Amino acid sequence: MEADSDDEIYSRDSQQSSDAEAGDPSPYSEEEYGLDETLQPFGNATPSILPPSRKSFVDDCKTYDIVPLVAAIHACHIHSLDATKNMRWVFTGGEDGFIRKYDFFSSMCGKTLLTQNQKHTQVESVQKAGVILSYWENEEIPITPPAAVKPEKPDGAAEEDATQNVEEPPLPDLKMSPVYSIAVQSEAVWLLSGLESGAINLFTVRHEEGRCHHVMRKHKSPVSVLKITSDETNFVSGSWDKTILHWDLNTGQVVREYSGHSSQISSISFRPITQSSSSSQTSIQSSPTSLETVFEESDNTIINSRDILLTTSIDGNCFVWDKS
């Protein structure tokens, strides 16, 4: 048997080294799912990662497999989660009282990986870590007491010196509240969060992120559910106090109250209906004849009714309400 030449040995060792570095191809690779696609920027715009277009084989698939790819690790219990309409940003609320904002596309298409210790508690397909953009506190804003009215001075009393220093009362310490519920506007212009006291904070997200502009108070217990109407001018809230309130966002006041549940409100959902986009004028089919009408593959899009909603409570009751 002839001995291998030095060139053959070097070539074989180089090939083995390259195979070892490459490793076994993962069954959940980015190329297979099309997660490595990016959109080229226009002009001076910064590049952004957008969801890939639908693959050609999607229409022919008979079954689908849901595979987790990303884990957003929290150090506390998560009570609520919501996302923008296009899934650009995902918001979470937890027991620690913080609202976190995640970049969904950067998490799915990025290269941020979990640490080795974090991977131990996940399935094999979960390799990436959620990309967090920002976070802020969900604080209990105290009710501002009315300004004290100075008593009128009797006639002939000496006027006090206008330059006299008056000590202002110290500002109260703000208390962090667990985020029991979250509802975000479709384009993340503003966000609602439920507090332990029963109040509801209105935050801005796009501008002055995390600033509370208004507090709506009516519930007596933690707000467990928040749902924004399709026109985004109203919202519905449910609480541990067994009440459901319909709010007007233009005034910040309750316009209607739904009572009848005997336990904590667990979920609220508006009735889905179809809206035809092919006609010249927007037409709404308020009474679909079958489920096929709602979920058929056509130019119709599913929107939510503003009048009919379903509410559930933890005791197993489901109520359908028609506010029209």
Side-chain angles (χ1 to χ4, degrees), residues 22-315:
D24 296 334
S26 173
Y28 311 108
S29 61
E30 295 177 358
E31 291 78 5
E32 179 180 352
Y33 291 96
L35 297 178
D36 58 340
E37 299 181 6
T38 58
L39 184 68
Q40 297 299 326
F42 294 93
N44 297 326
T46 57
S48 59
I49 301 176
L50 296 179
S53 58
R54 191 172 67 169
K55 300 301 180 180
S56 58
F57 59 80
V58 170
D59 295 331
D60 299 330
C61 290
K62 301 301 181 182
T63 60
Y64 296 90
D65 187 16
I66 299 176
V67 179
L69 299 175
V70 181
I73 306 297
H74 289 63
C76 62
H77 295 289
I78 303 173
H79 294 308
S80 55
L81 182 144
D82 200 7
T84 54
K85 187 176 181 180
N86 62 351
M87 291 298 295
R88 183 67 178 87
W89 293 300
V90 178
F91 299 85
T92 64
E95 183 68 26
D96 58 356
F98 285 95
I99 299 173
R100 294 172 173 85
K101 176 184 175 182
Y102 286 88
D103 190 327
F104 179 79
F105 298 143
S106 295
S107 301
M108 296 295 294
C109 307
K111 303 298 182 182
T112 305
L113 301 179
L114 296 171
T115 64
Q116 194 63 32
N117 291 334
Q118 291 173 337
K119 291 180 182 179
H120 284 325
T121 58
Q122 310 297 329
V123 296
E124 183 182 358
S125 61
V126 178
Q127 300 290 327
K128 298 182 180 182
V131 177
I132 185 170
L133 299 178
S134 60
Y135 61 90
W136 62 88
E137 300 86 354
N138 189 40
E139 296 176 329
E140 297 273 5
I141 308 298
I143 301 176
T144 305
V149 179
K150 295 182 179 180
E152 296 182 359
K153 298 178 181 180
D155 296 338
E159 295 291 338
E160 294 183 359
D161 185 5
T163 60
Q164 182 180 1
N165 294 327
V166 179
E167 295 183 359
E168 296 182 357
L171 295 176
D173 295 333
L174 298 180
K175 175 187 174 183
M176 296 276 288
S177 169
V179 188
Y180 288 105
S181 55
I182 279 181
V184 63
Q185 191 259 353
S186 61
E187 298 180 354
V189 178
W190 45 266
L191 176 144
L192 300 170
S193 67
L195 288 84
E196 188 174 15
S197 64
I200 301 171
N201 286 343
L202 173 63
F203 295 101
T204 48
V205 180
R206 287 281 185 103
H207 308 282
E208 295 182 319
E209 186 175 72
R211 179 182 176 184
C212 182
H213 289 264
H214 187 69
V215 182
M216 287 154 279
R217 309 178 191 273
K218 182 70 174 180
H219 289 294
K220 305 301 182 183
S221 298
V223 181
S224 53
V225 187
L226 290 170
K227 196 72 173 179
I228 303 174
T229 57
S230 59
D231 57 1
E232 298 183 337
T233 60
N234 299 264
F235 74 94
V236 181
S237 63
S239 172
W240 292 11
D241 60 9
K242 311 170 188 177
T243 61
I244 300 168
L245 302 179
H246 192 105
W247 300 79
D248 186 350
L249 282 167
N250 293 318
T251 62
Q253 302 297 322
V254 176
V255 296
R256 188 165 182 176
E257 180 175 350
Y258 304 91
S259 59
H261 282 285
S262 58
S263 184
Q264 170 188 335
I265 308 302
S266 57
S267 66
I268 297 174
S269 181
F270 289 95
R271 179 189 181 185
I273 55 180
T274 58
Q275 180 178 9
S276 177
S277 59
S278 59
S279 59
S280 57
Q281 297 181 352
T282 302
S283 61
I284 297 180
Q285 302 174 3
S286 58
S287 301
T289 57
S290 64
L291 291 178
E292 287 75 9
T293 308
V294 177
F295 298 104
E296 63 180 354
E297 295 290 339
S298 64
D299 294 335
N300 294 343
T301 57
I302 298 178
I303 62 174
N304 293 325
S305 170
R306 291 176 293 179
D307 297 327
I308 301 176
L309 65 152
L310 172 72
T311 61
T312 63
S313 54
I314 61 175
D315 59 358

